Amino acid sequence: MSKLLEVDKLSISFSQYVKGLEQRELKVISDLTMDVNDHEILAVLGSSGSGKSLLAHAILGILPLNAKVSGSMKYKGEELTEELKEELRGKKISFIPQSVNNLNPLMKVKEQAIGYIEDESEKEKIQKKQREIFKQYDLSEEVDEMYPFQLSGGMARKVLISTALLNDPEIIIADEPTPGLDEKSVEETINNLVELKENGIGMILITHDIYTAINTSDRIAILYLGYVIEITETKNFSGHGENLLHPYTRSLYQALPENDFKLTEGHQPSYLNIPKGCPYHENCPNKTDKCDNILPELKTIGNTIVRCFNPLDGGD
């Protein structure tokens, strides 16, 4: 495998006005570091509001104007500047949006899949490719002439996936691809994503669904309050979670009904009151005074990256 995307110490904040002209900085992603290889699905797992979609928007270069961004992103070793993001977006880096509502309700499926192409010979070439890809996903020629409201949830999801493949991407960012789908459509979507990986594509799968992450990915990155707190191989989400090193990651896994169904008290703090030390220390059963005041750095233990002063040992 070769490295396609590297994100190093990415931080994103927004300027907001409160109480008239009083201004504050709302930090929503902090010191975020991760990477993704070809032939790999990296699941980015976190609760709603943990910064997952903003990560996608930062990579694609579609953050709002009031966003302040620091840190580094590289595509195949090259600095991912705003100009390069614009060049790669929709081509080498494709996006599968969170909602099928991103399909234009006033355009037929084929028209919005291929977009506006002035050159007739180029248009014919793209139309042929579009039909081939749609066929791979069991989307008949009748689907080409349909409007989005005529599609089932599973068909609409396939249209979004197929459209993302038209320009032979090397990286796909899939933002919450399964919510709202029936069980069969979820299974089909997962199989489609795995098939793309096996064909060489590197994928960032953004989700809050731990089942989708476990059933689809090779590695899982856990986000909490805008911080990456653990990146580990998906196979470690097994047994009683004894190979998961961060207390929050293990508590997520053990809270599943088929595991210990062990629930922990507390909730993710507000971005308006980000703790001074470890972002998880208010709810952590293993915290020390150091955790209250100092932010732990990411460190590597075996094949796991973890942000914790007191990572759990196997069997805890």
Side-chain angles (χ1 to χ4, degrees), residues 1-6 35-42 75-76 169-172 194 196-204 218-219:
M1 292 194 297
S2 59
K3 207 172 293 297
L4 293 176
L5 182 72
E6 299 169 82
D35 57 41
V36 64
N37 303 301
D38 59 6
H39 294 87
E40 178 186 45
I41 296 177
L42 172 71
Y75 168 74
K76 299 175 76 170
E170 294 184 334
I171 299 173
I172 289 179
V194 172
L196 293 176
K197 177 201 73 168
E198 291 173 348
N199 289 334
I201 288 174
M203 188 177 302
I204 298 175
D218 301 281
R219 291 186 297 148

Side-chain angles (χ1 to χ4, degrees), residues 35-99:
D35 57 41
V36 64
N37 303 301
D38 59 6
H39 294 87
E40 178 186 45
I41 296 177
L42 172 71
V44 178
L45 180 66
S47 61
S48 297
S50 58
K52 305 184 299 300
S53 293
L54 282 175
L55 168 64
H57 295 170
I59 295 169
L60 293 163
I62 55 174
L63 288 169
L65 294 177
N66 66 332
K68 293 184 178 180
V69 182
S70 64
S72 169
M73 289 186 282
K74 292 182 179 180
Y75 168 74
K76 299 175 76 170
E78 182 179 356
E79 194 69 27
L80 198 53
T81 62
E82 293 305 312
E83 293 76 17
L84 184 56
K85 290 176 187 178
E86 185 173 351
E87 179 184 332
L88 297 174
R89 186 169 61 238
K91 298 171 184 174
K92 293 304 177 185
I93 302 179
S94 283
F95 184 49
I96 301 175
Q98 182 174 144
S99 173

Side-chain angles (χ1 to χ4, degrees), residues 121-177:
S121 61
E122 183 66 20
K123 183 176 181 179
E124 186 177 332
K125 180 181 175 182
I126 294 296
Q127 284 179 331
K128 181 180 179 181
K129 187 174 182 180
Q130 172 263 324
R131 178 86 304 271
E132 289 173 352
I133 293 175
F134 272 41
K135 186 177 180 181
Q136 290 176 16
Y137 285 89
D138 297 320
L139 296 170
S140 67
E141 292 187 19
E142 286 76 16
V143 174
D144 292 357
E145 302 302 319
M146 289 181 178
Y147 289 91
F149 77 89
Q150 297 174 296
L151 304 174
S152 67
M155 290 167 66
R157 185 63 60 189
K158 287 180 179 181
V159 167
L160 290 173
I161 293 173
S162 301
T163 302
L165 295 176
L166 269 177
N167 291 306
D168 298 319
E170 294 184 334
I171 299 173
I172 289 179
I173 302 173
D175 190 1
E176 301 280 11

Side-chain angles (χ1 to χ4, degrees), residues 14-18 22-26 66 272:
F14 293 93
S15 298
Q16 292 186 331
Y17 285 95
V18 293
E22 183 182 337
Q23 192 174 23
R24 71 183 178 198
E25 289 294 317
L26 187 66
N66 66 332
L272 298 176

